[in-house]
Amino acid sequence: MSGAACNLVGTPLQHAHGVDDDVQLALADWVRVGGPTADVDWARRYLERSRVDIYEWCEDLGIGWMELSQPEGNSVPRVHTPAGWGRGIVEALTSRATSLGVRIELGVDVHKVVVHDGVVAGVRAASVEGEKLQCDAPAVVVCTGGFASNHDLMREVAPHLRGLPRLLSGGAPGALGHGHRLLCRAGAQFTCLDHIWTYPNGTPDPDDETGTRGVGVRGVSGDIWLNSTGRRFVDEGNRNGGSGARALLAQPGQTAWSIFNSAELPNVVLLGNERWGTPAKVDPTRLTEFWRRSEFVWRADTPADLAGKIGLPATAVEESVAAFNAAVLAGEDRDPEQQRSLTGALPLAGPDLIAIQFFPIAVKTLGGVLTDHECRVIDQDGAVIRGLFAAGEVAGMAGGCINGRAALEGTMFGPCLYSGRLAGAAAIAELT
């Protein structure tokens, strides 16, 4: 599911594009966006090691870097997209692990991390057939992901989400906080669990009968977003968890409609359910099924007809579309209303206009279990639980909360890889 974009500094790809970047500039961007709860020490360590421990390490695994971009909040282009996306990295890691003789057990439910007198002793688990498994070990690494697919837990730890009319889950289906519960029972300390990273471009997944799971709509670049009054309210180029999400949450009903030309449909990527596609592969027939089955997608030949189907004020929708089209046809670099870039934009003209209703979608959890710089889990008294390590999203990407309350794009997957490497190395040291 993951695009696996990584915020990296001083890389050959940056140099090839003439990008002048350094750790201090990247750290300033990081802290400005993340706010006072960002772990500055962890962020600095990650950025200092990002070229060697992420960029070069992935190249050693056979993963190339295919794209450099500058999402909102970054002073320079430093977000790197790997060839093969997240799946490519996972497959490369799996292949490397298998070549080293690692046995990977699937379908195993770990229900307890065993800790005696502040020292880990292994795990207890059960197979899908119910067979009890006892795995004794002097080191255990927990890297179980987040809990963005657990509605009850999100609303419990993040009171500001309870008042939303609709909050979709867009994390992995298994991101239910299982590892958090294991660590809690082991006596671990947590931090910043209320830092839930939501995006503004979620729409309900028709495969989910509960109505809680959503998919993130990516790939559309020529749309405008209208609120329930039929008016634009944000620069639609900022469709991440930053200003785009904040703007959506400020609208009546915390919802909006993306309006675009049907010619853009082949570019759409729906993230959150592999049935509809992944960043690396999209099946047009599956997308056609999604458009047919979704109750939150409409088609019409004119803005007025589209407004009628959605239930928005027709006059306001027509005026919003007309103003946008006028700026595009006039050759403006940016539209005068939202200062959105018009590079490559086309007028929104029928026949066959598309509207998709958007809701906030929780994709990542930015807080987690607290660890020291060696990824050793800290207990509720501030002491290290010897032999117990945590990495990735269960540890707030790294350390407990490396990003803070908000995040730059690319500062999730990279720190997960980095903390995973540190935790693995520390666990090996524990064994010796």
Side-chain angles (χ1 to χ4, degrees):
M1 285 168 50
S2 176
C6 294
N7 199 298
L8 310 173
V9 177
T11 67
L13 188 59
Q14 284 185 310
H15 295 155
H17 284 80
V19 176
D20 185 15
D21 196 12
D22 59 48
V23 170
Q24 286 307 114
L25 180 61
L27 186 62
D29 289 344
W30 190 304
V31 173
R32 183 183 65 257
V33 170
T37 53
D39 193 318
V40 180
D41 288 340
W42 260 103
R44 180 184 292 106
R45 293 170 73 238
Y46 165 73
L47 291 169
E48 289 173 345
R49 299 295 304 175
S50 62
R51 178 180 61 82
V52 172
D53 286 350
I54 305 300
Y55 189 96
E56 294 179 4
W57 179 66
C58 282
E59 286 194 323
D60 182 60
L61 288 168
I63 302 294
W65 298 94
M66 64 180 185
E67 185 179 337
L68 185 66
S69 60
Q70 185 181 349
E72 180 183 14
N74 288 284
S75 297
V76 299
R78 65 168 67 97
V79 176
H80 297 62
T81 301
W85 312 88
R87 176 179 290 275
I89 291 180
V90 171
E91 289 176 347
L93 287 170
T94 303
S95 176
R96 177 66 63 90
T98 302
S99 73
L100 295 172
V102 174
R103 187 177 77 250
I104 299 173
E105 296 283 353
L106 302 177
V108 175
D109 176 21
V110 178
H111 55 79
K112 183 178 183 181
V113 175
V114 181
V115 177
H116 296 308
D117 298 324
V119 180
V120 81
V123 300
R124 300 294 179 264
S127 69
V128 289
E129 293 81 15
E131 177 188 4
K132 293 183 179 180
L133 303 173
Q134 177 174 320
C135 303
D136 297 326
V140 173
V141 181
V142 179
C143 43
T144 50
F147 55 90
S149 290
N150 187 329
H151 257 62
D152 291 340
L153 182 54
M154 283 195 295
R155 293 179 185 277
E156 176 186 336
V157 301
H160 64 282
L161 298 179
R162 297 173 190 168
L164 294 179
R166 188 164 203 163
L167 173 66
L168 299 173
S169 290
L176 299 171
H178 182 62
H180 293 72
R181 290 191 293 271
L182 289 174
L183 290 166
C184 183
R185 289 196 290 267
Q189 182 180 163
F190 294 84
T191 184
C192 300
L193 292 182
D194 63 326
H195 293 12
I196 311 293
W197 194 233
T198 60
Y199 286 80
N201 55 338
T203 198
D205 185 349
D207 263 3
D208 176 48
E209 295 181 356
T210 70
T212 58
R213 281 204 61 80
V215 293
V217 182
R218 301 294 181 94
V220 180
S221 59
D223 60 341
I224 61 172
W225 296 1
L226 304 180
N227 62 17
S228 58
T229 69
R231 301 297 182 183
R232 292 174 65 201
F233 58 92
V234 71
D235 174 350
E236 294 88 359
N238 296 328
R239 55 184 67 221
N240 59 19
S243 61
R246 291 192 295 272
L248 179 71
L249 294 176
Q251 302 311 304
Q254 290 75 54
T255 189
W257 289 260
S258 165
I259 313 295
F260 58 95
N261 293 315
S262 61
E264 288 210 63
L265 285 176
N267 302 327
V268 173
V269 178
L270 302 175
L271 297 180
N273 180 350
E274 289 193 61
R275 173 181 174 82
W276 311 121
T278 69
K281 183 179 180 181
V282 176
D283 184 342
T285 60
R286 292 290 177 86
L287 281 181
T288 299
E289 180 188 349
F290 182 92
W291 308 134
R292 177 179 56 82
R293 288 178 53 194
S294 174
E295 298 177 2
F296 299 89
V297 176
W298 298 266
R299 307 176 80 139
D301 289 336
T302 68
D305 289 343
L306 196 61
K309 291 184 177 183
I310 298 170
L312 299 183
T315 300
V317 171
E318 287 184 302
E319 290 175 352
S320 296
V321 171
F324 175 79
N325 287 349
V328 172
L329 292 171
E332 302 281 355
D333 292 331
R334 294 186 175 274
D335 81 83
E337 183 175 342
Q338 297 295 337
Q339 296 303 304
R340 169 255 183 91
S341 173
L342 296 179
T343 301
L346 297 174
L348 295 173
D352 203 12
L353 290 170
I354 308 293
I356 301 179
Q357 190 170 6
F358 282 169
F359 302 90
I361 182 169
V363 178
K364 303 177 180 79
T365 45
L366 298 182
V369 64
L370 192 65
T371 76
D372 67 6
H373 284 170
E374 294 181 359
C375 296
R376 299 182 297 179
V377 173
I378 306 299
D379 71 13
Q380 295 180 14
D381 295 322
V384 167
I385 301 176
R386 183 175 173 183
L388 183 57
F389 306 86
E393 194 171 353
V394 72
M397 315 305 170
C401 186
I402 191 172
N403 282 292
R405 185 169 293 279
L408 295 166
E409 290 300 306
T411 59
M412 292 89 161
F413 198 92
C416 285
L417 288 178
Y418 177 63
S419 62
R421 296 197 65 195
L422 290 177
I428 291 171
E430 191 73 29
L431 297 177
T432 57

